[in-house]
Amino acid sequence: MKYIAPSILSADFGHLSDDIEMLNRSEAELIHCDVMDGVFVPNLSFGFPVMEAIRPIAKKPLDVHLMITHPEKYVERFCDAGAWSVGFHLEAVDDPLPILDRIKAKGVRTCLTINPDIAPARLVPYLDKVDMVLLMSVFAGFGGQKFIPETLDKVRFIRSEITKRALPTWIEVDGGVNQDNAHLLFEAGADVLVAGSSVFHTPCPEQAIIDLKK
Ligand code: DX5
Ligand code: ZN
């Protein structure tokens, strides 16, 4: 699968509905929503009010990436705010399983994610318990960072573990994705690529989305 999930962290928040309409017209499959709490990551972004404002406008599923401590306190509210998928960081919790179950109970897809300093092997026990794993290819917290090339081997490793088990689990990659590395990531076995700057900070975001799939 070759899905693109533009991250609205790089959108124009003064004209957010225009950017959502652009994504509706575009070939993007998902809309990636980066939620930051200023504690788990050294940055703040947005939360429920923005999600709720986007929900009636967006025609593409909302892929929510929680970069927060205590995600267990908020997952239901993100489901209720219109998330199609809710992901949180493995390193932010003691036991992800009860949190995953609560997201599933809401009928929402689950995602577990890890920062670049967490061994991908730590995701393996959960591959059959989530709909998607998200490998960060930069340290979570900011858009516009440089892609960490070692991510490619991590994608290959997780892809082989998924294939071994014949699982339907998707692999998403997030951070510094651009036209130079997107095809390499898809070849390595990624299903969904998140892209912020390389979509929104270009003259023609709709074309940039098409180009990321080439
Ligand atoms: C980083 C976020 C990313 C970010 C991607 O913490 O999780 O989703 O918005 O932005 P780019 O594509 O610019 O690296
Ligand atoms: Zn993200």
Side-chain angles (χ1 to χ4, degrees):
M1 187 193 316
K2 273 182 159 187
Y3 277 9
I4 302 296
S7 164
I8 56 165
L9 189 64
S10 298
D12 176 356
F13 280 78
H15 302 91
L16 189 52
S17 57
D18 292 347
D19 280 346
I20 300 291
E21 298 286 3
M22 179 279 290
L23 294 179
N24 287 344
R25 290 190 305 270
S26 80
E27 293 195 13
E29 282 80 9
L30 305 174
I31 297 177
H32 187 78
C33 302
D34 285 307
V35 176
M36 304 181 186
D37 68 352
V39 180
F40 182 70
V41 289
N43 197 10
L44 291 160
S45 59
F46 56 81
F48 308 118
V50 170
M51 293 278 312
E52 282 158 5
I54 294 167
R55 177 168 50 170
I57 312 168
K59 296 199 174 85
K60 310 273 167 96
L62 302 180
D63 172 37
V64 177
H65 174 194
L66 300 179
M67 286 161 274
I68 62 174
T69 53
H70 298 298
E72 72 280 1
K73 288 188 187 168
Y74 304 104
V75 288
E76 275 95 359
R77 282 187 69 190
F78 280 102
C79 295
D80 293 342
W84 171 81
S85 170
V86 170
F88 59 92
H89 278 254
L90 177 61
E91 65 271 30
V93 300
D94 291 331
D95 182 4
L97 293 177
I99 310 171
L100 293 169
D101 284 343
R102 284 168 42 206
I103 299 169
K104 286 179 200 163
K106 283 283 194 181
V108 170
R109 286 173 63 95
T110 53
C111 175
L112 256 190
T113 182
I114 52 168
N115 258 314
D117 60 346
I118 304 295
R122 283 187 54 191
L123 285 175
V124 172
Y126 304 104
L127 288 177
D128 62 346
K129 297 178 176 65
V130 293
D131 295 298
M132 182 162 81
V133 289
L134 165 53
L135 299 171
M136 290 304 298
S137 39
V138 301
F139 280 88
F142 299 90
Q145 301 182 75
K146 200 172 164 301
F147 178 76
I148 299 173
E150 287 75 20
T151 313
L152 285 164
D153 276 341
K154 297 180 182 180
V155 174
R156 289 185 195 105
F157 167 70
I158 293 291
R159 173 52 62 203
S160 73
E161 295 296 315
I162 288 171
T163 304
K164 245 189 255 173
R165 294 166 177 78
L167 294 168
T169 318
W170 293 4
I171 301 174
E172 184 175 50
V173 178
D174 182 5
V177 171
N178 58 32
Q179 249 199 85
D180 297 332
N181 54 37
H183 65 286
L184 300 174
L185 287 163
F186 282 132
E187 276 161 30
D191 298 291
V192 184
L193 301 184
V194 176
S197 322
S198 67
V199 167
F200 288 101
H201 301 168
T202 56
C204 183
E206 281 183 70
Q207 186 59 43
I209 292 166
I210 293 170
D211 292 343
L212 285 171
K213 296 186 188 189
K214 280 183 185 159

